[in-house]
Amino acid sequence: MAGKVLVLGGGGREHSLVWKLLQSPRVSEVVCAPGNGGIAQEAKCLPLDVKNLDAIIELANRFHPDLTIVGPELPLTLGVVDEFTRRGLRIFGPTQAAARLESSKSFAKLFMQRHNIPTAHFAVCHKPEEVKHSLGLFHPPIVVKADGLAAGKGVVIAKTREEAAIVAAEMLSGKILGAAGSPVVLEECLEGEELSFLVISDGERIAALAAAQDHKRIGEGDTGPNTGGMGAYSAENLLDAQMREWLLAHVARPTIAGMKAEGAEFRGVLYCGLMLTARGPMVLEYNCRFGDPETQPMLMRLESDLLEALEASVEGRVSDGDFKWSADAAACVVIASEGYPGAFEAGKRISGLQEAAAIEGVKVFHAGTSRNDAGFLYTSGGRVLGVTARASDLGAALDRAYEACAKIKFEGMYYRKDIGLRALKTVSRS
């Protein structure tokens, strides 16, 4: 029995996890730390610095959760799972060693090379001289990636070798991303459709989640700098059964088996960011937790008990039957603060949330919001809201999401108007 659940984090992903967990008949209480203004309307929120392991452990000792779920990547890379496990506390997520698949791009690329997992051609560079030598191996455009965690902003697509050399030098010097920028990974620039393929593992067995597609760029038409994600969608025919089996056989299973063979058993969510190229699917990156904003539309489609599936990972009994999905489609449109992913102003009062939530099939997940004593909601982050809708087909889900977005107002709000539109060319309306 896992009556009390602690969710670490405070974004849109965590709001959707809290929302879904509260639907489980086996959950008596959910606490989210630090949470946000929207989560506080549905569950208890407690202040917490997720970068402080001692503070996380102290909170667990006070709350005594039956299960803890880690939302963001940082606590995983700091070893929160190792610390909880050492103390006999049940926690969902990979160990610090297993989380290196996300925390170190160079580790991930070399791991894929060792285990014959399809990925772009690459070079790992520790010094500017190595960058200069390696650039000759690539045709522009060239992808330059920071090694460490950079909140979705450590990837630059350089149009020329000269630009790639400048960006790599800035990363290596620590000027733009600090310690996260060294070493750098140079990659060939792949073309095709992106796809997010997630599985849950208990270290040996895996179960696939519904496929989703994310929109990383800030601007319409996939232009401008990368962000943490400006929208996502999930639909039944986004991934056919044949491709699903190929990805399980050639990407997910070899990754889980490879980590076990290397002494870093992987339990938790393995997120495989893919590019569907003319040469076949290629892994762009791994994440070691639920995606944000992909989790929001995925969980809108989940019809089985999320708690049961997460417990199966912790207890070593994952099976294909852990998830049951609706045939409906779901879409999430992220509303952001003006200036994001750069500097932005917080503290803008938000209106229209009740009107948006009243639309059939719509759920507004909060990401960067705070609530004052009078109950008013204000912006507190770059990504503010994830307006998510479910309907019988993707077109209808997007229509509902955008109808809801039009009801919401705050000074300087911005959202892309083209989330999912490319998919409508291939994912037919029912």
Side-chain angles (χ1 to χ4, degrees):
M1 174 67 181
K4 295 167 69 175
V5 181
L6 172 61
V7 176
L8 300 180
R13 163 186 51 220
E14 288 77 30
H15 192 177
S16 63
L17 288 167
V18 168
W19 170 78
K20 198 67 190 178
L21 287 162
L22 285 168
Q23 296 172 21
S24 171
R26 295 179 54 243
V27 170
S28 61
E29 183 181 6
V30 176
V31 165
C32 189
N36 59 44
I39 297 173
Q41 295 175 315
E42 300 177 44
K44 186 175 183 180
C45 292
L46 295 173
L48 180 72
D49 178 2
V50 295
K51 302 187 292 293
N52 187 329
L53 272 185
D54 290 338
I56 296 172
I57 291 160
E58 193 272 331
L59 173 61
N61 287 335
R62 275 192 289 126
F63 178 57
H64 302 295
D66 296 295
L67 181 66
T68 297
I69 297 158
V70 187
E73 59 272 31
L74 192 56
L76 297 172
T77 64
L78 294 174
V80 68
V81 171
D82 308 68
E83 292 297 328
F84 270 53
T85 303
R86 199 172 293 135
R87 290 166 170 79
L89 299 168
R90 298 200 327 152
I91 186 167
F92 173 82
T95 62
Q96 185 177 38
R100 287 184 71 199
L101 283 174
E102 177 169 9
S103 65
S104 171
K105 293 285 194 298
S106 59
F107 173 83
K109 295 294 288 190
L110 293 166
F111 172 88
M112 287 184 255
Q113 187 178 64
R114 289 194 296 274
H115 295 278
N116 299 310
I117 295 164
T119 191
H121 298 308
F122 71 97
V124 177
C125 303
H126 295 82
K127 299 176 182 177
E129 308 86 78
E130 294 175 5
V131 173
K132 186 176 179 181
H133 171 76
S134 299
L135 282 172
L137 304 172
F138 298 91
H139 292 290
I142 300 165
V143 182
V144 185
K145 293 183 176 180
D147 184 65
L149 299 176
K153 299 161 197 167
V155 179
V156 176
I157 300 172
K159 294 185 175 66
T160 64
R161 289 191 179 94
E162 292 74 21
E163 183 188 354
I166 292 167
V167 170
E170 288 180 342
M171 286 185 179
L172 287 170
S173 71
K175 281 181 185 174
I176 53 176
L177 293 169
S182 184
V184 296
V185 176
L186 305 179
E187 279 187 7
E188 66 169 319
C189 188
L190 299 175
E191 291 186 3
E193 285 288 320
E194 286 196 44
L195 182 76
S196 302
F197 184 66
L198 288 78
V199 300
I200 278 187
S201 175
D202 60 12
E204 188 172 340
R205 291 161 292 274
I206 59 175
L209 281 70
Q213 193 161 26
D214 184 17
H215 293 67
K216 284 287 183 195
R217 300 297 192 94
I218 186 67
E220 291 174 19
D222 293 321
T223 56
N226 270 338
T227 70
M230 291 302 295
Y233 57 89
S234 177
E236 191 174 35
N237 44 359
L238 190 56
L239 188 67
D240 63 40
Q242 186 177 1
M243 179 59 80
R244 177 181 176 276
E245 287 306 313
W246 193 95
L247 293 173
L248 287 169
H250 296 276
V251 176
R253 288 196 187 101
T255 302
I256 298 301
M259 290 302 287
K260 186 171 184 178
E262 294 192 9
E265 183 181 77
F266 190 102
R267 291 185 179 222
V269 176
L270 177 70
Y271 170 123
C272 306
L274 303 163
M275 183 72 81
L276 306 180
T277 77
R279 305 203 311 261
M282 301 272 184
V283 178
L284 295 173
E285 64 175 0
Y286 291 117
N287 292 332
C288 296
R289 33 75 194 185
F290 288 103
D292 190 347
E294 296 98 327
T295 305
Q296 289 86 306
M298 282 171 47
L299 291 186
M300 287 284 277
R301 294 185 56 218
L302 180 63
E303 302 211 313
S304 50
D305 191 322
L306 177 62
L307 177 67
E308 294 277 0
L310 303 186
E311 283 189 319
S313 167
V314 175
E315 295 169 5
R317 50 177 180 84
V318 164
S319 74
D320 269 341
D322 287 340
F323 296 99
K324 293 182 175 61
W325 304 98
S326 167
D328 288 354
C332 172
V333 178
V334 170
I335 300 181
S337 297
E338 184 179 17
Y340 176 78
F344 59 86
E345 282 187 23
K348 310 296 185 183
R349 186 169 164 184
I350 306 167
S351 63
L353 291 168
Q354 286 184 322
E355 292 83 353
I359 297 168
E360 183 184 359
V362 168
K363 173 68 180 177
V364 181
F365 294 113
H366 291 232
T369 68
S370 61
R371 195 162 175 252
N372 71 4
D373 292 340
F376 295 122
L377 286 153
Y378 294 84
T379 66
S380 63
R383 291 190 295 171
V384 178
L385 302 165
V387 180
T388 309
R390 173 175 153 173
S392 59
D393 61 77
L394 181 59
L398 286 164
D399 288 345
R400 285 178 174 178
Y402 278 115
E403 182 187 352
C405 286
K407 304 283 187 189
I408 297 168
K409 300 284 187 292
F410 64 83
E411 184 188 340
M413 65 179 270
Y414 168 77
Y415 58 92
R416 282 180 56 169
K417 311 293 195 301
D418 63 344
I419 300 301
L421 295 191
R422 272 191 309 176
L424 290 181
K425 299 173 186 175
T426 53
V427 180
S428 61
R429 289 189 181 229
S430 54

